[in-house]
Amino acid sequence: MTILIIGGSGFLGTELVRQATAAGHATAASFATSPGSAAGVAWHALDLRDPERVEAVVAETAPRLVINATSGGPDWAVTAEGPVRLAMATAKYGCRLVHVSSDAVFSGTRVHYDESCLPDPVTPYGAAKAAAETGIRLTHPAAVIARTSLIIGDRKSTHVRMVHDLAAGTRSGVLFTDDIRCPVHVADLAAALLELASGEASGVHHLAGADAMSRHELGILIAERDGLDASRLLSGLRADSTLPGPLDVRLDSHASQRALHTTLRGARRFLAVGA
């Protein structure tokens, strides 16, 4: 069985490639700028804005499973339109598709969000992610849309890297105490995505960690785990800043967790010193 990881050289993609190859799957992966370093992987340059190239990569690799782990930020052509092009290609060639979405599709108005909640984004990135979800559900109804939250691991995680930079004084800023999310460990997320891809699941699933916490509490936990001076992590209120975006978004993953063998640990557990 061949698995194709879209965005295989990114943080989440790298872990997906590692786990897929470790499980003995033939693995192909795409990259936007440079290929990853994993051995035995067929790497393919791919720009999701190019529909002909998207279809060519799917046709060439002939995967049974495709996982889209790209981000793309607020770039509409990449984040909104690109996944729909991929959904069209995978539907055409009969591939299972798992698309990684984000808690950014929600405004935070209701705080707690389960899989039945409809997107109501308040940022360009969230709007692009929500548009991708809609397009995928129309063009590939059997696809899995997996919403997640802050992805944590080593310093390749942007959130972990920020904490290290703040603690070292190479970056200025604060960590918000009123910005609440449900962080997930990259290894747990990758395992859950591969489990969903290998089964018969479809539709929307929430894959976030079990603990809701502020970005400041998350930063403190990262600092303690990594032996950093947590006192250098200044706190602040996002509500007092000019940054757009929701404040409190808590993905309820209970329904998805009940259907999974993979445990989505909370950050207080996976960031515990010695864990």
Side-chain angles (χ1 to χ4, degrees), residues 43-58:
W43 290 96
H44 301 265
L46 178 62
D47 185 339
L48 285 176
R49 296 170 295 184
D50 183 345
E52 293 184 358
R53 180 60 182 159
V54 170
E55 181 166 340
V57 169
V58 173

Side-chain angles (χ1 to χ4, degrees), residues 1-224:
M1 178 177 69
T2 298
I3 298 178
L4 171 61
I5 310 297
I6 305 297
S9 60
F11 177 50
L12 173 58
T14 296
E15 180 62 19
L16 283 164
V17 168
R18 186 192 70 78
Q19 291 192 24
T21 56
H25 298 301
T27 305
S30 77
F31 63 92
T33 54
S34 59
S37 58
V41 176
W43 290 96
H44 301 265
L46 178 62
D47 185 339
L48 285 176
R49 296 170 295 184
D50 183 345
E52 293 184 358
R53 180 60 182 159
V54 170
E55 181 166 340
V57 169
V58 173
E60 181 180 348
T61 55
R64 177 184 172 191
L65 311 176
V66 178
I67 301 178
N68 179 21
T70 60
S71 172
D75 187 324
W76 189 268
V78 175
T79 303
E81 297 173 359
V84 179
R85 296 187 186 98
L86 181 64
M88 294 171 66
T90 52
K92 177 179 178 178
Y93 289 95
C95 313
R96 278 187 56 73
L97 173 64
V98 174
H99 170 74
V100 180
S101 191
S102 168
D103 57 11
V105 302
F106 296 122
S107 68
T109 303
R110 60 182 296 163
V111 179
H112 298 277
Y113 293 88
D114 64 21
E115 288 87 346
S116 69
C117 295
L118 297 177
D120 61 339
V122 293
T123 64
Y125 174 65
K129 279 293 194 181
E133 289 189 8
T134 300
I136 291 167
R137 296 182 77 174
L138 286 171
T139 56
H140 197 330
V144 171
I145 294 169
R147 298 181 185 133
T148 192
S149 190
L150 308 182
I151 307 176
I152 309 301
D154 58 19
R155 290 188 67 176
K156 293 178 182 177
S157 163
T158 57
H159 311 291
V160 174
R161 191 162 58 248
M162 177 189 296
V163 171
H164 278 254
D165 291 346
L166 290 170
T170 58
R171 176 175 182 160
S172 61
V174 300
L175 295 174
F176 298 126
T177 57
D178 58 345
D179 189 333
I180 312 297
R181 298 294 186 273
C182 296
V184 65
H185 195 281
V186 65
D188 296 348
L189 177 57
L193 290 168
L194 287 165
E195 185 177 342
L196 286 174
S198 300
E200 300 298 325
S202 63
V204 177
H205 295 260
H206 284 182
L207 303 180
D211 297 332
M213 64 181 58
S214 72
R215 291 181 186 261
H216 185 261
E217 182 183 355
L218 175 63
I220 295 295
L221 290 173
I222 291 170
E224 291 174 346

